[in-house]
Amino acid sequence: MDLMEQETRLTESQPVPHDTAATPGTLRPGGRTAKVRRAVLDATQDALADTGFHALNMDRIAASAGVGKTTVYRRWGSPVGLVTDLLHDMAEQSLPAADTGGLTGDLRANAELVRDTLTDPRMGAVFRAVIAAAACDEECARALAAFYRTRLAEWAPVVTRAAARGEVPEGTDPVELLRAVSAPLYYRFTITHEELTGAVTERAVTAALAAARDGAFLRE
Amino acid sequence: MDLMEQETRLTESQPVPHDTAATPGTLRPGGRTAKVRRAVLDATQDALADTGFHALNMDRIAASAGVGKTTVYRRWGSPVGLVTDLLHDMAEQSLPAADTGGLTGDLRANAELVRDTLTDPRMGAVFRAVIAAAACDEECARALAAFYRTRLAEWAPVVTRAAARGEVPEGTDPVELLRAVSAPLYYRFTITHEELTGAVTERAVTAALAAARDGAFLRE
DNA sequence: CCCTTAATGGGAGGCTGGTTCCGTTAAGAT
DNA sequence: ATCTTAACGGAACCAGCCTCCCATTAAGGG
């Protein structure tokens, strides 16, 4: 990854002809640049969906995005770079949390959202790829963590409201509870590669809820 | 991956000039062959520990194992193949479960074992690689699942004993409870890449235990 | 101990993924 | 509208990964 060192260049002469082309796409994000990014990220998702991360190839992406491969190499540098940017892109599209009126329902909605996402052939493949890429690259790992931070922050109010209603102890850490719901699903998805059934989802909810009521997720 | 079909061998007739070199290393696993495997798997672990999965390279492995690269290509085929075999190797080395006399202590011992493993620089890197490889390759995913099936089976008695002592409801699914303990740790390890602190470990235990007492893991 | 042949090992060659060069296009400023 | 230059794109170039060929070594059976 070499997208990072633009500061180190050109400490030299007078005119300082602009920190030329330090990070393509950030200085002049006009219509064309944006369109290229969109095309490339879409192509990346497609590729991940049907060939997986190991087969992700810059040349192929450039071709199927209808973009010069030089551009892809310059702006993203590597397959991991593509996935990382895809992740940033995904983090921007937020979808609102549920509000069913009860914590059980809300958590169930969350668990089912996770399940549906991971079960969907396209999205499931994308998440597998992203997780694999994060295991290989620090920068990508940060992007993945940021993505989930965003997501969990959106759902946190669900728990806060429930605490106000007395469904879980006051002082329950919302993020902690939400992670407890997701964790078993992701465990199966990444480690044991089991099918994510309705029973598994439901159990994740009831177990997390039981623990929460028992005060296992009290913020300290 | 072609390491699996050795059973198909030699069900055959008289002469049949042997299914020559069907799967190198399975037909004549003499001293040299075994030594080569050991050297290669060790080299693989070393490489994973200090450069990670993305940089895993067959030629380099061959060189650092002091083995011909042809051999590595022939027997393992790809980086994923190496990791898969490493996983099979790891599954063979079992270490016994704890027995502290109480379920809380046993589960804590389990959680701390997981934590220590994932925290260890060498083993942590290996597990990251294995998870990434499993995300890329079906065969590797199966090997990973098998590894954990073995591990969990070793620890299952811990829960069975506890149920007999009345610490959790009769009919509690041991594997389900054990997975509930590990899941939050693996979630952090693979998804959010957070540090696995003692607090996280302890919370995983208490949460799983609370859920279990509440009957969330009853076998149906 | 000898024989057969599985398995290893070195090296040459091709392919594919990645880099660089330089001309072209169009974003954004005046 | 015009100009500057960021960003794109084509194509040649380079390198490292993988494969194939064949000679060599040593298991395992007699």
Side-chain angles (χ1 to χ4, degrees):
Chain A
M1 178 72 14
D2 45 20
L3 296 182
M4 289 315 283
E5 63 267 353
Q6 67 273 52
E7 276 75 3
T8 50
R9 272 183 42 278
L10 288 177
T11 12
E12 24 87 55
S13 60
Q14 282 291 306
V16 178
H18 278 96
D19 236 333
T20 311
T23 307
T26 59
L27 207 53
R28 195 189 277 190
R32 181 166 66 160
T33 298
K35 208 175 291 183
V36 165
R37 180 173 183 235
R38 188 70 272 141
V40 168
L41 293 186
D42 288 348
T44 301
Q45 255 204 10
D46 290 344
L48 292 180
D50 58 54
T51 62
F53 177 63
H54 66 296
L56 194 58
N57 166 262
M58 307 290 275
D59 287 36
R60 210 136 30 206
I61 292 298
S64 81
V67 159
K69 74 170 174 170
T70 311
T71 301
V72 179
Y73 281 111
R74 189 165 31 217
R75 283 185 64 176
W76 290 277
S78 70
V80 171
L82 281 174
V83 173
T84 304
D85 195 35
L86 179 58
L87 211 35
H88 286 128
D89 184 57
M90 287 164 62
E92 280 158 25
Q93 308 149 14
S94 78
L95 56 174
D99 186 0
T100 64
L103 182 57
T104 309
D106 288 352
L107 290 183
R108 188 179 293 133
N110 180 261
E112 271 161 11
L113 176 63
V114 171
R115 180 194 161 204
D116 289 345
T117 305
L118 298 184
T119 301
D120 177 74
R122 185 184 177 84
M123 279 300 118
V126 170
F127 276 84
R128 262 191 214 300
V130 158
I131 290 164
C136 295
D137 179 84
E138 192 51 39
E139 165 87 8
C140 187
R142 272 193 296 274
L144 183 60
F147 173 79
Y148 280 102
R149 222 171 6 254
T150 309
R151 278 296 153 91
L152 292 179
E154 277 161 15
W155 282 82
V158 152
V159 180
T160 316
R161 286 196 302 267
R165 288 190 302 257
E167 294 189 69
V168 287
E170 199 65 47
T172 296
D173 186 331
V175 172
E176 204 61 31
L177 171 51
L178 289 165
R179 279 197 283 214
V181 172
S182 312
L185 302 177
Y186 280 96
Y187 180 81
R188 281 170 173 77
F189 184 70
T190 56
I191 309 293
T192 63
H193 291 245
E194 286 166 80
E195 197 192 349
L196 295 179
T197 64
V200 168
T201 311
E202 188 59 28
R203 182 170 274 178
V205 173
T206 55
L209 210 42
R213 291 210 192 91
D214 203 60
F217 304 128
L218 287 174
R219 192 164 19 216
E220 75 258 2
Chain B
M1 191 43 30
D2 44 20
L3 295 182
M4 285 316 282
E5 62 269 356
Q6 69 273 54
E7 273 76 6
T8 52
R9 270 181 37 271
L10 288 179
T11 11
E12 28 79 48
S13 58
Q14 285 296 304
V16 178
H18 280 98
D19 235 333
T20 310
T23 308
T26 60
L27 206 54
R28 195 189 274 190
R32 181 165 66 159
T33 297
K35 209 175 289 182
V36 166
R37 179 171 183 235
R38 189 70 271 140
V40 168
L41 293 186
D42 288 348
T44 301
Q45 258 205 4
D46 290 344
L48 292 180
D50 57 54
T51 63
F53 178 62
H54 66 297
L56 195 58
N57 167 262
M58 308 288 279
D59 286 35
R60 210 137 30 207
I61 293 298
S64 83
V67 159
K69 68 173 165 173
T70 310
T71 301
V72 178
Y73 281 110
R74 189 165 31 217
R75 284 185 60 175
W76 289 277
S78 70
V80 171
L82 281 173
V83 173
T84 304
D85 196 34
L86 180 58
L87 208 38
H88 285 129
D89 184 57
M90 287 164 61
E92 281 158 25
Q93 307 148 14
S94 79
L95 55 174
D99 187 359
T100 64
L103 182 57
T104 309
D106 287 352
L107 290 183
R108 187 180 292 132
N110 181 260
E112 272 161 10
L113 176 63
V114 171
R115 180 193 161 204
D116 289 346
T117 306
L118 298 183
T119 300
D120 178 74
R122 185 183 178 83
M123 279 299 119
V126 170
F127 275 85
R128 263 191 212 299
V130 158
I131 289 163
C136 296
D137 180 84
E138 191 52 38
E139 165 87 9
C140 187
R142 272 193 296 274
L144 183 59
F147 174 79
Y148 281 102
R149 225 176 358 258
T150 310
R151 277 296 151 91
L152 291 179
E154 278 161 14
W155 282 81
V158 151
V159 180
T160 315
R161 286 196 302 265
R165 288 190 302 256
E167 293 189 71
V168 287
E170 200 65 46
T172 295
D173 186 331
V175 172
E176 205 60 32
L177 172 51
L178 288 165
R179 279 197 283 212
V181 173
S182 312
L185 303 176
Y186 279 97
Y187 179 82
R188 282 172 172 77
F189 183 70
T190 56
I191 309 292
T192 64
H193 290 245
E194 287 166 80
E195 197 192 349
L196 295 179
T197 64
V200 169
T201 311
E202 188 60 26
R203 182 169 275 178
V205 173
T206 54
L209 211 41
R213 291 208 193 93
D214 202 60
F217 303 128
L218 288 174
R219 190 164 20 215
E220 73 257 4

